[in-house]
Amino acid sequence: MKKLLLMLALAGLAGAGEPGVITIQADKLGAEVSPNLYGIFFEEISHAGDGGLYAELLQNRSFEETLPVEGTRLEGERCIAPDLPHYLGVKESKRRPHGQPWSQEWKFTSPWPGWALDGAATMGIETKNPVHPKNVNYLRLKLAQPGARLLNEGYWGVAVQQGETYDCTFWARVAEGAGGAIKLGVVGTGGRELGAVIVGGVVSKAWKKYTASFPSLGTEAQAKFFLQPQLAGALDLDVITLFPRHTFKERPNGLRADIAQKLADLEPAFLRFPGGCVVEGATFANRYRWKETLGPLEARPGHWSLWGYRNTDGLGYHEFLQLCEDLGSAGMFVCNVGLACEFRNGDFVGGAQLEAELQDALDAAEYALGGPETKWGALRAKAGHPAPFPLVYIEIGNENHGQLYNERYTRFAAAFRKAWPQLKLIFNGGLNDEAPDPGVRNIDLFDEHYYKDADFFFENQHRYDHASRQRGYDIYVGEFACNKNVGRGNLRAALSEAAFMLGLERNSDLVKLCSYAPLFFNVNKLNWPVNMIGYNSATSFGRSSYYAQQLLAQNRPDVNLAHTLVTPGDMPAKYFAALPGLDRKAKEIVLRLVNGVEQPQQVKVCITGAKVPVQGAGRIITLAGKLTEENDEKNPKRIEPLCRGWQVPGQEFTLCLEPASLTVVGIPIE
Ligand code: AHR
């Protein structure tokens, strides 16, 4: 209501200069809009999965957090990558810091991050006869008498809600003494037990999995998990998990419902996974290995994310494919091509190791698409999903470029084309849009990345208007975000991206897909300055860029309409964008307009070529505010879309655009 009054008041103020004019020829169609244009990009960065989308409440559940980075050697307090040639050649290896191999400080405040003892007991990390050979560490807890509690702080708090049930599983083995019962539950910040349950009969000298559930009697964001053996002796513990009973689509080992719902509300046409640089790894041995993310949790070793923390891989390849299905999105898997991240160690493999990498990538497709009679399809069926998953795209490498990459693309793409001709294959141009070498075949899409300031995005709304259509492949703007001089992601950023995305849509005969990046961040740990969806342990919110994405995805027409555009007289042309399209099924002209300045603007709209019923039921959605405003955890909805009905005056009318706004106008036609 407040915004509606503001709009009406502004109608009198706007138009100090000449109004803008948009003339829409509703009977003259432009490029079809790619139905797959708006997708999402997932990477484990800023606790996107662990401590984010993945609903696990406990941190470091398998006690593996302090394991060194795969493929590195530990020297004092540093992990050091092997001194191998760089895939871009000698010059690039010189660019490594001090000309040395990539290395990383390896220091922890305790050997068991996330865990603490409350009471008289001792604990230590052990490795002999682990619960699973791939899960090397476990905790040995020694108690002279019952009483002490093992605490877990979760990911910046264990959040519980009154009335929700919490499901815990853990592996245990009695190392000394007769064993006994274990009490476990959640304790609030004031020391109040919010829920607990006693698991009896923990007496086995061999590893055994236990399960228990308890309801929470209160709501708290900063609670702690506790595990309190009611026994004396020594107990080995591993893979201690705690999940809320209600996850997205009620899946076990599932996803946080509030965060996953935010994805669903974006109506993403595709979901890219697992990145990003994590595909490549800090060094080759640290690359993403999808086969290590399958199966029971105790069989998943996890791995270190080059964004600075260890991943459980509980949200693994199978869970990614399941999410695609649950969101109705096409899957896009990014595979490694034997090259480590050029900005880290940049090492590479060839020969048999490269062939194995290629086979791994092909197996990933078989896992998703193969029949139950195939090796990997059978594993998928065994995991509870006999039908294929909706895998549609394979991106061959991430941000790789140069001669070696071109050769590898050629090799991988040919193998994929032969084995899985239905898959669309994506070539990447690195950070500088390097075109493929002549002769590289089997490219369906070319991936471009843009992390720039707002003026870049406003200015580049016409980037593809005159781009060649003769290159033999389409474009995927695979990573883009306005992330410079826009705070942590303000409205200016969102409006500049909206102007840019309208340019993608107008050129949708060429640009078939796009995805904002990065998608997620936990407010307690930022690896990247600007991201789309934030959260703490209990709540989540979208930055204004989230709402810009959502508005364009939810109001995507089928086809562009021919039009002419005159910018309102008192604003620089680059800050104005407008695009009409036709939603054939809804019989509606969908007009999207961006006003990138903080003054209201008037725009005359003239529609020809279709009958607009006088007083027809239209709709207007506005995302508006101050350019420097942003949503955060305290003000999650400072900027959010406001939707209202509207009686369309007829073929011609004047719109008053709010200052700093993205407006969607739905105009019914007969
Ligand atoms: O989105 C963050 C990073 O940006 C990705 O990991 C990488 O592909 C790009 O450089």
Side-chain angles (χ1 to χ4, degrees):
M1 187 63 185
K2 200 176 83 195
K3 286 218 167 153
L4 179 58
L5 290 174
L6 179 69
M7 258 195 97
L8 293 174
L10 290 172
L13 295 176
E18 285 293 301
V21 183
I22 176 157
T23 307
I24 304 170
Q25 287 176 265
D27 55 352
K28 199 166 168 207
L29 305 184
E32 292 283 321
V33 178
S34 162
N36 306 318
L37 189 59
Y38 300 109
I40 48 182
F41 162 98
F42 177 91
E43 178 173 25
E44 183 57 83
I45 175 172
S46 303
H47 287 271
D50 292 328
L53 180 62
Y54 184 46
E56 171 64 85
L57 291 166
L58 305 186
Q59 188 200 146
N60 190 17
R61 66 183 179 195
S62 288
F63 305 99
E64 316 287 288
E65 185 68 36
T66 59
L67 289 177
V69 178
E70 294 74 14
T72 64
R73 67 175 201 282
L74 201 50
E75 236 179 58
E77 291 185 331
R78 285 201 91 74
C79 274
I80 303 175
D83 192 359
L84 296 167
H86 194 285
Y87 84 85
L88 291 169
V90 177
K91 214 168 121 230
E92 292 302 319
S93 26
K94 292 254 158 48
R95 270 184 22 192
R96 287 175 186 155
H98 319 296
Q100 299 296 313
W102 175 88
S103 69
Q104 163 84 35
E105 189 179 38
W106 207 248
K107 242 169 128 173
F108 296 89
T109 46
S110 97
W112 37 77
W115 297 94
L117 261 185
D118 173 28
T122 59
M123 59 183 178
I125 299 292
E126 302 283 336
T127 57
K128 208 170 153 201
N129 299 329
V131 69
H132 189 280
K134 287 187 175 173
N135 196 333
V136 294
N137 285 353
Y138 59 87
L139 190 79
R140 176 158 295 173
L141 192 58
K142 287 190 178 171
L143 307 99
Q145 61 206 32
R149 295 188 301 189
L150 176 66
L151 298 174
N152 187 287
E153 64 191 32
Y155 292 97
W156 300 278
V158 172
V160 286
Q161 275 193 323
Q162 187 164 2
E164 172 63 305
T165 299
Y166 292 86
D167 296 319
C168 179
T169 63
F170 63 95
W171 284 82
R173 161 174 87 180
V174 175
E176 274 170 41
I182 292 180
K183 182 177 176 185
L184 56 88
V186 165
V187 58
T189 40
R192 178 182 162 222
E193 243 179 57
L194 296 169
V197 60
I198 292 183
V199 182
V202 182
V203 293
S204 170
K205 300 269 179 201
W207 284 110
K208 199 175 154 202
K209 188 176 174 184
Y210 298 86
T211 59
S213 302
F214 58 88
S216 177
L217 307 172
T219 297
E220 268 211 39
Q222 300 294 325
K224 285 185 176 164
F225 168 80
F226 72 87
L227 185 148
Q228 188 175 35
Q230 316 283 296
L231 51 89
L235 193 63
D236 293 341
L237 292 162
D238 206 354
V239 203
I240 308 175
T241 77
L242 185 69
F243 282 85
R245 173 78 46 93
H246 295 289
T247 56
F248 186 60
K249 307 274 180 193
E250 311 294 343
R251 301 219 174 271
N253 189 42
L255 307 179
R256 227 175 96 172
D258 62 324
I259 301 179
Q261 188 55 48
K262 288 205 165 46
L263 296 185
D265 293 344
L266 287 173
E267 299 180 7
F270 65 89
L271 169 53
R272 171 168 153 199
F273 178 93
C277 296
V278 300
V279 169
E280 304 158 90
T283 181
F284 178 71
N286 173 239
R287 74 204 177 281
Y288 187 83
R289 288 178 300 160
W290 70 272
K291 288 179 182 168
E292 302 288 7
T293 74
L294 300 181
L297 300 184
E298 64 276 11
R300 303 186 192 192
H303 78 290
W304 185 79
S305 158
L306 44 65
W307 298 109
Y309 53 95
R310 200 172 170 84
N311 298 176
T312 62
D313 288 330
L315 196 181
Y317 184 60
H318 184 95
E319 288 76 16
F320 145 67
L321 292 167
Q322 184 61 66
L323 178 60
C324 292
E325 185 175 275
D326 288 345
L327 293 174
S329 311
M332 180 188 294
F333 179 66
V334 189
C335 69
N336 182 293
V337 285
L339 309 175
C341 176
E342 73 167 293
F343 303 111
R344 276 84 176 191
N345 210 44
D347 51 300
F348 61 102
V349 295
Q353 270 180 296
L354 182 61
E355 289 309 303
E357 205 55 24
L358 169 58
Q359 192 54 52
D360 255 26
L362 292 167
D363 292 346
E366 185 175 293
Y367 186 90
L369 302 171
E373 72 290 352
T374 62
K375 178 177 171 194
W376 293 98
L379 221 66
R380 182 196 68 237
K382 200 171 152 216
H385 203 285
F389 277 121
L391 183 72
V392 173
Y393 306 94
I394 295 286
E395 179 148 2
I396 299 180
N398 174 70
E399 278 189 358
N400 301 131
H401 58 113
Q403 194 200 330
L404 215 49
Y405 172 62
N406 277 268
E407 285 166 20
R408 277 148 196 234
Y409 183 91
T410 305
R411 169 90 183 89
F412 274 53
F416 266 105
R417 209 36 124 224
K418 192 163 167 227
W420 302 101
Q422 71 270 49
L423 288 174
K424 293 199 183 315
L425 306 178
I426 307 175
F427 180 97
N428 40 103
L431 275 173
N432 297 317
D433 298 347
E434 277 176 40
D437 289 348
V440 177
R441 299 276 174 270
N442 294 316
I443 302 176
D444 295 316
L445 290 139
F446 179 82
D447 179 3
E448 303 183 354
H449 293 179
Y450 300 109
Y451 293 106
K452 306 281 185 185
D453 64 12
D455 277 338
F456 171 90
F457 285 105
F458 279 123
E459 282 157 13
N460 277 274
Q461 53 174 293
H462 297 287
R463 183 177 190 86
Y464 300 99
D465 290 359
H466 305 291
S468 162
R469 264 63 177 170
Q470 311 307 323
R471 51 185 104 195
Y473 47 79
D474 295 320
I475 288 176
Y476 163 39
V477 182
E479 296 181 32
F480 72 94
C482 171
N483 70 355
K484 294 189 171 60
N485 310 321
V486 287
R488 290 290 182 206
N490 59 26
L491 184 58
R492 186 196 302 277
L495 296 180
S496 71
E497 290 152 6
F500 180 72
M501 286 188 284
L502 290 179
L504 305 185
E505 202 177 295
R506 188 173 50 249
N507 290 284
S508 203
D509 57 318
L510 174 68
V511 185
K512 298 289 186 202
L513 317 174
C514 71
S515 43
Y516 180 102
L519 181 62
F520 286 137
F521 69 106
N522 187 307
V523 296
N524 296 291
K525 177 78 194 290
L526 271 191
N527 293 123
W528 197 262
V530 176
N531 311 273
M532 194 160 67
I533 300 170
Y535 37 78
N536 55 26
S537 61
T539 60
S540 51
F541 63 93
R543 297 264 199 229
S544 36
S545 291
Y546 170 79
Y547 291 113
Q549 295 281 326
Q550 191 189 58
L551 282 186
L552 295 193
Q554 289 183 348
N555 296 281
R556 178 183 48 74
D558 308 310
V559 60
N560 284 280
L561 291 177
H563 61 282
T564 56
L565 204 61
V566 178
T567 305
D570 57 359
M571 74 185 291
K574 70 175 175 185
Y575 296 129
F576 180 65
L579 189 68
L582 178 67
D583 183 331
R584 292 183 177 107
K585 200 162 151 219
K587 289 197 173 156
E588 186 185 56
I589 294 176
V590 193
L591 173 61
R592 283 68 40 83
L593 305 107
V594 175
N595 173 11
V597 297
E598 277 185 331
Q599 287 78 43
Q601 303 295 336
Q602 288 202 351
V603 180
K604 277 192 193 168
V605 181
C606 313
I607 299 168
T608 63
K611 176 128 182 51
V612 179
V614 178
Q615 303 299 306
R619 59 193 183 98
I620 295 189
I621 312 171
T622 318
L623 185 71
K626 289 210 165 55
L627 285 173
T628 52
E629 275 179 339
E630 49 185 79
N631 291 341
D632 53 34
E633 53 188 318
K634 293 208 180 75
N635 292 289
K637 298 209 159 165
R638 188 182 270 138
I639 299 166
E640 65 168 338
L642 186 89
C643 187
R644 66 185 173 93
W646 172 61
Q647 290 192 322
V648 185
Q651 303 292 135
E652 290 192 15
F653 49 87
T654 298
L655 289 171
C656 180
L657 304 184
E658 287 193 47
S661 59
L662 165 62
T663 306
V664 177
V665 186
I667 307 157
I669 52 169
E670 282 178 353

